[in-house]
Amino acid sequence: MAAATEMVAVVAMARNRVIGDGSGLIWHLPADLKRVRTLTMGCPLIMGRKTWESIGRPLPGRASIVMTRDDSWAAEGAVRAADLDTAIARAHDWIAATSEARNEIVLFGGGQIYAAGLALTNRIEATVIDIAPDGGPQAALFPDLNMADWTRDILEDVAADGDVPAHRYERLTRKAAVRV
Ligand SMILES: NC(=O)c1ccc[n+]([C@@H]2O[C@H](COP(=O)([O-])OP(=O)(O)OC[C@H]3O[C@@H](n4cnc5c(N)ncnc54)[C@H](OP(=O)(O)O)[C@@H]3O)[C@@H](O)[C@H]2O)c1
């Protein structure tokens, strides 16, 4: 039998949990984009249709599994999924069919998809940015966590540098492990 698969949410959020304005990110952290690339390479990514549109293309070395309720939606390089169970099934299919795949499914956002998948997420790799932006009328947020359910490790604190605000890399691991 195949080893159980872990679902990992990868997110950058402000300290007020804002993750974007609904159509894109509201900060520019080049080092964090590199970190996200490393964390996600070789994994299927489950994302919402709005996040797909904000990226605008499939990310190389990863599968883009896009959740939408629109049956007629299609985009080159994306795999459509009508619900979370289907998205997870498509992610397993991709891992099984891809020799360089890691046995890890990435919950890639945005706010609606983090909320939909949180209960099945075993680990969160978070970049917490020391700002509290408004995010505007369409602001997307990372769900509020019950910290009693999670163990938190602070991996690194990064001081502010010019335009780049201070930020911290955190790993949250679910105390009662869950696999998908
Ligand atoms: N900072 C970060 O780490 C990070 C990561 C990712 C995204 N973001 C930001 O987050 C924002 C987007 O987040 P968002 O919450 O507005 O949108 P989203 O989660 O990316 O996408 C929402 C869409 O996903 C589909 N969807 C949602 N739940 C579904 C379900 N249960 N079953 C099937 N389809 C479902 C719907 O598509 P249809 O309307 O087509 O049915 C919905 O409109 C952007 O600003 C983006 O830049 C930030």
Side-chain angles (χ1 to χ4, degrees), residues 1-7 92 95 102-105 122 177-180:
M1 207 174 100
T5 307
E6 185 179 34
M7 189 149 78
H92 281 296
I95 290 171
R102 286 156 51 195
N103 191 20
E104 220 172 270
I105 297 173
N122 194 59
V178 59
R179 293 291 184 266
V180 291

Side-chain angles (χ1 to χ4, degrees), residues 2 42-44 61 63 65 79 88-103:
C43 297
I65 299 167
V79 176
I88 291 172
R90 294 291 86 79
H92 281 296
D93 293 347
W94 187 83
I95 290 171
T98 307
S99 55
E100 64 274 22
R102 286 156 51 195
N103 191 20

Side-chain angles (χ1 to χ4, degrees), residues 6-9 84-85 88 107 112-124 142-145 149-150 174-180:
E6 185 179 34
M7 189 149 78
V8 181
L84 185 64
D85 287 348
I88 291 172
L107 197 67
Q112 292 183 33
I113 277 19
Y114 291 131
L118 186 67
L120 293 174
T121 295
N122 194 59
R123 180 158 53 91
I124 302 169
F142 193 78
D144 211 359
L145 299 176
D149 295 339
W150 301 86
R174 196 178 272 286
K175 289 179 182 166
V178 59
R179 293 291 184 266
V180 291

Side-chain angles (χ1 to χ4, degrees), residues 12 19 22-24 48-51 67-69 82 108 110-112 114:
I19 61 166
S23 57
R49 193 257 312 155
K50 291 185 183 170
T51 293
M67 288 178 58
T68 173
R69 298 186 177 91
F108 204 57
Q112 292 183 33
Y114 291 131

Side-chain angles (χ1 to χ4, degrees), residues 24-100:
L25 301 178
I26 45 184
W27 47 72
H28 185 57
L29 273 72
D32 190 54
L33 296 178
K34 280 196 196 132
R35 176 183 136 90
V36 168
R37 186 176 192 280
T38 303
L39 283 169
T40 60
M41 192 51 66
C43 297
L45 313 179
I46 297 179
M47 70 186 82
R49 193 257 312 155
K50 291 185 183 170
T51 293
W52 163 268
E53 282 176 0
S54 77
I55 301 170
R57 65 187 169 93
L59 294 174
R62 291 149 283 185
S64 296
I65 299 167
V66 178
M67 288 178 58
T68 173
R69 298 186 177 91
D70 178 355
D71 292 344
S72 64
W73 187 89
E76 179 132 6
V79 176
R80 180 173 56 82
D83 53 44
L84 185 64
D85 287 348
T86 308
I88 291 172
R90 294 291 86 79
H92 281 296
D93 293 347
W94 187 83
I95 290 171
T98 307
S99 55
E100 64 274 22

